Amino acid sequence: MSLPEKFTKPYNAAETEDRISKLWEESGFFNPDNLPGDRKEVFSMVLPPPNVTGVLHMGHALTITLEDIMTRFHRMKGASTLWIPGADHAAVATQAKVENEIYKKEGKTRKDLGREELLRRIIEFAEASKETIIKQTKRMGASVDWSRFAFTLDEKRSFAVRTAFKKMHDAGLIYRGYRIVNWDPKGQTTLSDDEVTHEERKAKLYTFKYSKEFPITIATTRPETKLGDTAVAVNPSDARYKKYIGKEYDIDFAGAKLHIKIVGDESVDPAFGTGALGVTPAHSIIDAEIAERHKLPMIPVINEYARIILDLPGLKDKKVAEAREIIVEWLKKESLLEKEEEVTHNVALSYRTNGVIEPLPKLQWFIAASKEFDHFDKKTTLKKIMRKPVENGEIEIIPDHFKKTYFHWVDDLRDWCISRQIWYGHRIPVWYCQACGPAHGGDMAKCAEPIVRIEDVKKCPHCGGPVEQDPDTLDTWFSSALWTFSTLGWPEDSKDLKTFHPTNVLETGYEILFFWVARMILMSGFFLNEIPFKTVYLHGTIRDTKGKKMSKSLGNAVDPLDMIAKYGTDAIRMSLVVGTAPGTDSKIDENKIRAYKHFANKIWNIARFVLENTEDLEEVKVTATKDKELWNVFENLKKDMTKDIGEFRFYLASEKIYHYLWHEFADNIIEESKTVLKTREKNSRQMLLKMILEESLKLLHPFMPFVTEEIWQLMKKPNLLAIEKWPV
RNA sequence: GGGCGCUUAGUUCAGUUGGUUAGAACAUUCGCUUCACACGCGAAAGGUCGCAGGUUCGAGUCCUGCAGCGCCCACCA
């Protein structure tokens, strides 16, 4: 065998990678159904579906790299290996993005376009985005099974979502309630508690009385909401206010007629502020809870556009900020304002649109987290379903300390608001009779019930009257929570589901531990009475060189595709893995990427040397004592690496093979071989060189699949390296 | 306010259950167009492992306290 011409030039990643990608794709081996041999072990995993809002970023590159390492490793180890790719419709984010673009380009809002047209435009955008994601995932070398690609909003997943909704509703766990919810006036939708972030901002705290006659002073940063106050709460043991508890006052407050009851409530901290709290049941979750305890009425003051809805001259339709000034002016004029001070407080923001959250009472759909119900012959709650498998070790979380974070979240969890007032997403499978009652020969009470169905409902099953579907859509995380089994064919009792569920590993960023990981445990537990995965591997956030989070708006994002073009995919993959411990943030360093480009070339030249010097090799055994020793060292490396990868220490395994190949194999063994090959021990040494090269390529393959496969192919091996047997 | 984590060479980070002179990459210095590779080779310099105690035959590694940084959750009106 003469040495291929290619080896006279440095390794060219750009020329190689596309060709190798095609080779893999044509082989079909990324689909477990096509894998050769008898494979008893199973290894399955889902790729966290990227949002269809955009393009691949460094976080995706890291996820793909880590998951591909696991997948390729287990495939080579002889497992029936399935890694499912997909995309997430990311309802709020995607709709907000498209609406934004349309408004910028055409000056049109969602109302101008209407539901149907806006949806058409979003779907168009999502489709294009999906294509981009697929192309980019392929460039990363991901050995996913494209034939099983799933989209959270495709037909099969929609069916799963509707089935899930119906079943949970029938179990009494999905209910409709009029509650204070997190309303995002910018995105025009509700959000779950987890979709709200907090940011410190400066604000003014006003201390005042409602009226001159009112005995208690209160404080607030939001005077405009005080138009909806129905009580003042004080701590029942507070000596200053004890005598007022139970008393009621009628007050004229900036034109609004308030009826304020003084109530005693343990939740009030006597040491804070004036020790008295103006209760606004309609616009504060805490206040609503107090109101519930004391049966206080709720007066909505602010609407979905963050404007005043009370019919008060000078205030109606005013934005909250304006209304605030008007109220403050009024307080000053009436000499009711006692103090005005600057404070920093946390403002609630939408994690998708960054709009300021306005707590509003709304009729929404919820999932009951703490309600007890019968589940496979046992009493349980969804919280317990989430807590138990992590507690008893059925599910392992790496790194371990995230367990604590997880338990805190589960224990504090309130009911999950799942309805969203946007158009893009899974429409809630609920219909309402439009013509209730006896006029249609129906039963008034029955007709008033929401009709929950998996299939579309055309007319009221009770009276035959017209029906209308709930206009809302479901939280994106509802559909992604089903992901481990909806991608495998559920609710059908499919072969895939039996074979590949529970999945082995769920690898993702720690920032979506609650959003996604916890909710998958919930759904899988509820529907299948089974864990969704055995191990959760959490990776950190990739930050810029200054340690800042990368974001498009900051302009500090490093595009993995640029890096691939410059240094090759293998180099990016190695730079993302080596020295990156789980759960720890890391900074992107171009120098590091360049170093692994050099490493790819080093491998290339190692291969060249070995092939050049073993052309006349006769198949013999390694006989020389020294060679046997060297082989033993390598055997130990193999065992070590295998253990490391199996135990999720990719950062160690990758560094070990790097170090061995460069500083042991190349620097010592090859250098020494230049003289050994001139001695009587030539044959033994040739055999050693060849064996180490071939097995090293296998060991390195999960990390640097392209350069290793390319060399393997140039060695005219009959099989793909991707399905070669792991050497341990 | 509650919780979690981090602090190791100039920089970015490893250090897996405590065990021989604390590692890597990049950067730096010096010398090399040596016949696999200048995307390289050889050599060198660089750390009181945040601070203070403690446990131990032995601590970067375990415990306590302190300081600085970061993250998450809750939210105080």
Side-chain angles (χ1 to χ4, degrees), chain A residues 46-261:
Chain A
V46 293
L47 174 75
N51 292 347
V52 291
T53 42
V55 294
L56 221 66
H57 56 64
M58 273 297 170
H60 296 121
L62 176 61
T63 280
I64 292 170
T65 301
L66 290 168
E67 294 177 19
D68 197 46
I69 289 168
M70 295 186 233
T71 305
R72 285 182 187 269
F73 172 71
H74 284 100
R75 190 182 292 115
M76 290 174 82
K77 287 278 278 180
S80 177
T81 309
L82 174 62
W83 182 21
I84 301 181
D88 190 318
H89 67 287
V92 177
T94 309
Q95 176 162 336
K97 186 174 173 124
V98 174
E99 275 189 67
N100 215 339
E101 276 182 10
I102 292 173
Y103 189 76
K104 262 192 220 154
K105 280 190 204 140
E106 304 164 38
K108 286 181 183 165
T109 65
R110 74 161 95 167
K111 273 191 178 159
D112 298 329
L113 293 171
R115 187 162 191 148
E116 208 173 310
E117 174 61 12
L118 181 66
L119 272 180
R120 198 188 60 75
R121 304 275 287 262
I122 297 171
I123 290 164
E124 195 179 87
F125 171 87
E127 282 305 313
S129 200
K130 241 192 277 178
E131 289 306 310
T132 314
I133 290 167
I134 292 172
K135 227 170 74 195
Q136 295 180 344
T137 306
K138 284 183 179 171
R139 288 219 61 185
M140 280 302 299
S143 62
V144 294
D145 179 5
W146 290 109
S147 74
R148 284 176 169 86
F149 180 87
F151 181 45
T152 47
L153 206 52
D154 65 22
E155 212 175 295
K156 282 185 176 161
R157 262 46 65 176
S158 297
F159 181 66
V161 163
R162 283 182 167 211
T163 306
F165 186 98
K166 167 84 173 138
K167 286 193 169 184
M168 285 192 116
H169 181 267
D170 291 352
L173 295 173
I174 289 183
Y175 66 93
R176 207 173 178 220
Y178 187 70
R179 292 275 194 83
I180 307 274
V181 292
N182 306 300
W183 178 262
D184 171 12
K186 208 166 163 185
Q188 285 294 302
T189 182
T190 50
L191 295 171
S192 68
D193 294 341
D194 297 288
E195 291 170 307
V196 177
T197 59
H198 296 273
E199 194 180 293
E200 255 193 12
R201 287 192 186 168
K202 288 215 185 306
K204 281 195 174 132
L205 179 69
Y206 302 95
T207 306
F208 65 95
K209 280 186 181 172
Y210 293 111
S211 72
K212 290 198 178 71
E213 302 74 42
F214 196 77
I216 299 173
T217 304
I218 57 162
T220 184
T221 53
R222 301 203 54 189
E224 75 281 8
T225 64
K226 300 288 108 183
L227 296 165
D229 281 14
T230 52
V232 164
V234 297
N235 194 290
S237 62
D238 194 325
R240 292 170 293 178
Y241 305 125
K242 231 175 184 168
K243 55 183 178 277
Y244 300 116
I245 292 173
K247 291 196 172 163
E248 303 188 23
Y249 297 84
D250 283 300
I251 295 158
D252 193 328
F253 180 75
K257 305 277 182 236
L258 300 185
H259 184 79
I260 304 286
K261 188 177 176 184

Side-chain angles (χ1 to χ4, degrees), chain A residues 560-574:
Chain A
L561 293 162
D562 290 347
M563 295 295 113
I564 287 174
K566 231 166 148 181
Y567 304 106
T569 300
D570 289 334
I572 308 291
R573 291 171 58 121
M574 276 300 269

Side-chain angles (χ1 to χ4, degrees), chain A residues 193 383 407-414:
Chain A
D193 294 341
K383 271 190 184 188
F407 290 137
H408 278 131
W409 178 83
V410 170
D411 294 343
D412 292 346
L413 187 63
R414 274 194 278 234

Side-chain angles (χ1 to χ4, degrees), chain A residues 23-43:
Chain A
L23 201 65
W24 287 332
E25 215 173 326
E26 282 159 13
S27 79
F29 290 143
F30 296 164
N31 178 343
D33 302 337
N34 300 332
L35 279 171
D38 185 21
R39 290 168 184 258
K40 290 194 181 73
E41 298 272 311
V42 168
F43 183 83

Side-chain angles (χ1 to χ4, degrees), chain A residues 359-379:
Chain A
L360 292 180
K362 286 191 80 77
L363 189 58
Q364 298 292 321
W365 290 95
F366 295 87
I367 291 184
S370 309
K371 185 179 171 185
E372 198 165 76
F373 63 100
D374 290 315
H375 188 245
F376 294 87
D377 302 325
K378 271 190 207 145
K379 290 248 183 253

Side-chain angles (χ1 to χ4, degrees), chain A residues 486-696:
Chain A
S486 70
T487 52
L488 292 173
W490 188 89
E492 213 181 286
D493 191 19
S494 66
K495 189 170 162 257
D496 270 5
L497 191 62
K498 282 190 210 118
T499 312
F500 298 109
H501 204 274
T503 61
N504 293 68
V505 180
L506 190 275
E507 189 285 331
T508 192
Y510 62 71
E511 72 277 5
I512 54 175
L513 180 61
F514 310 141
F515 282 126
W516 197 40
V517 180
R519 281 164 185 161
M520 283 195 281
I521 298 173
L522 184 163
M523 292 296 192
S524 185
F526 178 78
F527 289 108
L528 305 174
N529 196 24
E530 183 169 283
I531 53 171
F533 28 70
K534 294 163 193 149
T535 304
V536 177
Y537 181 101
L538 298 171
H539 66 243
T541 307
I542 308 262
R543 297 170 179 277
D544 72 3
T545 43
K546 287 173 196 142
K548 276 204 171 146
K549 240 181 182 170
M550 291 198 212
S551 79
K552 252 193 203 153
S553 51
L554 281 174
N556 63 347
V558 177
D559 185 351
L561 293 162
D562 290 347
M563 295 295 113
I564 287 174
K566 231 166 148 181
Y567 304 106
T569 300
D570 289 334
I572 308 291
R573 291 171 58 121
M574 276 300 269
S575 73
L576 287 171
V577 170
V578 177
T580 305
T584 310
D585 292 355
S586 55
K587 295 178 188 174
I588 187 76
D589 182 356
E590 203 169 326
N591 283 330
K592 193 173 169 188
I593 304 174
R594 191 186 306 115
Y596 292 109
K597 175 192 187 288
H598 295 176
F599 180 53
N601 194 54
K602 189 75 185 180
I603 307 296
W604 187 250
N605 282 295
I606 286 172
R608 176 181 167 182
F609 178 88
V610 172
L611 295 180
E612 253 174 4
N613 287 284
T614 53
E615 281 179 85
D616 59 342
L617 172 70
E618 294 162 35
E619 289 291 323
V620 288
K621 286 213 162 148
V622 173
T623 49
T625 315
K626 171 81 181 175
D627 292 344
K628 281 182 182 168
E629 276 169 26
L630 291 171
W631 181 251
N632 276 339
V633 172
F634 184 68
E635 288 271 327
N636 283 335
L637 171 79
K638 291 197 291 185
K639 281 183 205 141
D640 240 30
M641 271 188 75
T642 306
K643 195 157 180 277
D644 282 338
I645 300 174
E647 291 169 12
F648 304 94
R649 292 185 299 267
F650 313 114
Y651 56 108
L652 288 185
S654 52
E655 198 177 349
K656 279 175 188 167
I657 185 71
Y658 172 92
H659 199 259
Y660 178 82
L661 281 174
W662 202 313
H663 300 299
E664 175 63 19
F665 192 48
D667 289 353
N668 297 333
I669 300 176
I670 287 183
E671 282 310 315
E672 188 201 44
S673 297
K674 287 173 187 172
T675 52
V676 174
L677 289 171
K678 288 173 188 151
T679 68
R680 223 189 302 172
E681 286 172 347
K682 180 181 169 188
N683 279 357
S684 169
R685 178 51 62 105
Q686 280 181 315
M687 200 56 206
L688 178 79
L689 291 175
K690 201 181 163 221
M691 279 161 64
I692 293 183
L693 172 66
E694 289 187 2
E695 305 241 309
S696 293

Side-chain angles (χ1 to χ4, degrees), chain A residues 178 180-181 183 185 222-228 280 282-284 299-311 315-321 323-324 356-362:
Chain A
Y178 187 70
I180 307 274
V181 292
W183 178 262
R222 301 203 54 189
E224 75 281 8
T225 64
K226 300 288 108 183
L227 296 165
T280 319
H283 298 290
S284 156
I299 306 171
V301 175
I302 295 157
N303 71 3
E304 286 82 349
Y305 301 97
R307 288 173 188 272
I308 302 293
I309 42 166
L310 294 180
D311 198 7
L315 281 169
K316 192 175 162 56
D317 291 335
K318 287 280 189 295
K319 286 196 168 178
V320 290
R324 188 172 308 160
V356 176
I357 297 298
E358 197 64 61
L360 292 180
K362 286 191 80 77

